[in-house]
Structure formats: structure tokens, C-alpha cells
Amino acid sequence: MARGKKAVKGSDSAAAVDSPSDSTPTPPPRSVLPITPTPSKDRDVVKVNNANLTELKNALDDAIKRFLSRPDLFKQIHLHTDVRLALGWAGVFVAGATAFYSWRLEFEKSKPIMWIGMIVYIVLTVLQALYAYFIERDIIFVGKRKTFDKRIVTERITLSSRTKPSTPETPPAYKLSLTYRRSTNGGKSLLNRGQATDWRPYNTFFDDQGVLDHERLRPGLGRWLDA
């Protein structure tokens, strides 16, 4: 089954993907993921429409986030979600306050405030859209953890995903990108950092009925992140 991998050089060493055609930089000294898998009894059956690429991608995104946010792995950072929620709720508050003000006063008297409220609401909505498009982009998970290896070490990973369109030779694929950073001394001393990209066909993880195969997803994700 077709699959591709690409690694990008980092500083000192990189969390890269094992590929016979690409040179593999020195991996981080500590495995990113533990070997212990999630017990099957704790997994939910995930079933989607095989013909819907959005459902396939979202199902894999959610499964990866659930796995990486386990207590023994990473603490998920919700900064991007918090920013979008803050801008969204600010827009709702401005719209509600403007509507209430216009209801309490006559229309002509409330027009200046209504114009201000409308402009502020539009600005907040545009900022929310711009943040999602230019800053959050395809990021699905940001995680952080601290370990002790003769000193306090901070590890941070950022994962982004997107669908790789099909071609006459290959089916549509799930493309996953990783940014890894390992530092100490409060982030002032960089130990490792790197980037890696991997893509695999969706039918690698889903059966003919659209059921997600966790037994394939977890080992594949673990090998890739630990490479």
C-alpha cells in the first residue's frame, strides 16, 4: 500500500520519520510515546462514512488527540481553542449589548451605538477567521510535558493534519505533520528540535464498513513519533 514520509532537518537532532529513501537524523534521546497500548475495553467504536473525507479526517484527528492527551503522555494546551472562543464570545456579548441598548432607547438615539457595535462585531468576527486561517491553520494538537533526566526537561509537540488528495495511482491519504521541541532551563536551553511529515491512505486505518482500526492506528502512530 502506498505511503510516503518526509523529514525536515532541525537543530542538533530531529524527531524524524524512518524512511529508506531519506536520511534519518538522530532521534530524541527519550521515546515520545510509551509502549503500553490503550486497553481495548476503554476504546469507543468509531464508525464513519467511508466516502466522506471530512469524517475520516475528523475521526483520526479525535483519536490521535485522545491518545496523546492520556495522563501518562502529554498535557494538551488549548490556547488556539481559547483564543477563538474568546473572540467568538466577545462578538456575542457586543451583539447582545448593542441589541439591548437599541431596545431601551429610541431608534434614532441608539443609531450611533448600533453602528459602533456592528463595526466591533465585524472586527471580532474577522479576527477570529484570520486567527483560524493564518495562526491555528491545520493544528489539531499541542501538547507539553515535563520529565526529569538529571534535570527538568520540557517536551512540546505540535501536530497538524490535512487530507492529501487522491491521484490516479494513489487513494486519498491522511497527512500528519509533527513539530518537536525538547528544552531545559525554562526553555532557555534547547536540547532537540525537529519536524517530520508522514502520510498514509485512509484505508490503512478504516475497514470496509468505515470502522476505525485502533490496532493499526496506535502502533503506526507510535513508530512514527518514536522514530
Side-chain angles (χ1 to χ4, degrees):
M1 188 171 294
R3 80 182 225 190
K5 296 182 178 181
K6 179 181 179 183
V8 182
K9 294 174 65 178
S11 172
D12 296 333
S13 61
V17 183
D18 182 20
S19 174
S21 60
D22 297 333
S23 58
T24 303
T26 305
R30 174 184 171 89
S31 175
V32 178
L33 298 180
I35 299 175
T36 306
T38 304
S40 57
K41 64 180 181 179
D42 296 333
R43 300 172 185 160
D44 296 328
V45 177
V46 179
K47 185 175 182 180
V48 297
N49 181 1
N50 263 338
N52 191 319
L53 293 179
T54 300
E55 288 188 18
L56 293 171
K57 178 184 179 301
N58 290 340
L60 285 176
D61 288 348
D62 292 341
I64 291 173
K65 286 188 288 187
R66 284 196 303 269
F67 178 77
L68 292 178
S69 58
R70 285 165 47 183
D72 56 332
L73 290 179
F74 293 91
K75 179 180 180 181
Q76 186 172 3
I77 300 174
H78 300 278
L79 174 63
H80 296 307
T81 302
D82 292 342
V83 171
R84 287 191 291 106
L85 284 175
L87 291 173
W89 278 109
V92 171
F93 176 79
V94 169
T98 303
F100 179 77
Y101 185 83
S102 63
W103 175 70
R104 292 293 302 272
L105 298 179
E106 296 179 1
F107 177 73
E108 291 298 327
K109 293 182 179 181
S110 64
K111 281 175 65 175
I113 300 298
M114 288 179 62
W115 275 107
I116 294 175
M118 183 179 69
I119 293 172
V120 173
Y121 177 80
I122 292 174
V123 170
L124 290 172
T125 303
V126 171
L127 285 176
Q128 185 184 41
L130 292 176
Y131 183 89
Y133 186 82
F134 289 105
I135 298 178
E136 183 177 19
R137 305 184 71 178
D138 300 319
I139 294 175
I140 62 169
F141 182 84
V142 179
K144 184 178 181 180
R145 71 179 176 188
K146 292 185 178 181
T147 57
F148 185 78
D149 184 12
K150 299 182 180 179
R151 52 188 170 180
I152 298 177
V153 176
T154 301
E155 295 173 286
R156 181 187 177 101
I157 62 170
T158 302
L159 276 78
S160 304
S161 72
R162 63 171 53 190
T163 295
K164 187 177 181 182
S166 61
T167 66
E169 296 79 20
T170 60
Y174 182 74
K175 183 177 181 180
L176 192 65
S177 300
L178 163 73
T179 300
Y180 175 83
R181 180 182 174 91
R182 188 169 182 265
S183 61
T184 187
N185 194 23
K188 297 178 181 179
S189 301
L190 180 64
L191 300 177
N192 304 96
R193 69 177 179 184
Q195 296 178 334
T197 299
D198 182 27
W199 56 87
R200 301 185 185 182
Y202 279 109
N203 55 17
T204 302
F205 307 110
F206 295 90
D207 62 19
D208 294 338
Q209 304 300 318
V211 177
L212 177 62
D213 189 341
H214 292 276
E215 297 299 330
R216 291 185 179 181
L217 175 62
R218 193 274 157 195
L221 180 64
R223 284 193 301 269
W224 177 61
L225 291 177
D226 288 344

